[in-house]
Amino acid sequence: MTLVVNGEKTDLATDASIGDLITKMGLPDRGIAVAVDGEVVPRGRWDQLLRNDSDVEIVTAVQGG
């Protein structure tokens, strides 16, 4: 399936979850927030399967100022 992740098209397995996407991108499972189709998804629900053409936004926390 094809998703848009932070504005860029990304290919992912058809039955992939948010957690699978995070792992594929090499991101940590803490210090990030995920929204799918404009709705924030709590980390406890990252086993939720993604759908083709979903729009995913991933924001990472950065320390410093």
Side-chain angles (χ1 to χ4, degrees):
M1 78 177 134
T2 301
L3 312 169
V4 176
V5 180
N6 292 347
E8 294 186 23
K9 287 191 175 190
T10 301
D11 291 321
L12 200 62
T14 302
D15 58 348
S17 67
I18 295 168
D20 295 331
L21 175 63
I22 298 300
T23 299
K24 178 183 177 187
M25 295 180 71
L27 296 171
D29 63 351
R30 296 193 181 268
I32 62 174
V34 178
V36 178
D37 296 329
E39 192 167 319
V40 175
V41 180
R43 189 160 51 103
R45 292 185 28 220
W46 285 3
D47 59 347
Q48 171 183 318
L49 297 180
L50 293 164
R51 289 181 282 181
N52 193 42
D53 293 329
S54 290
D55 185 15
V56 180
E57 294 290 329
I58 301 173
V59 179
T60 58
V62 177
Q63 288 185 316

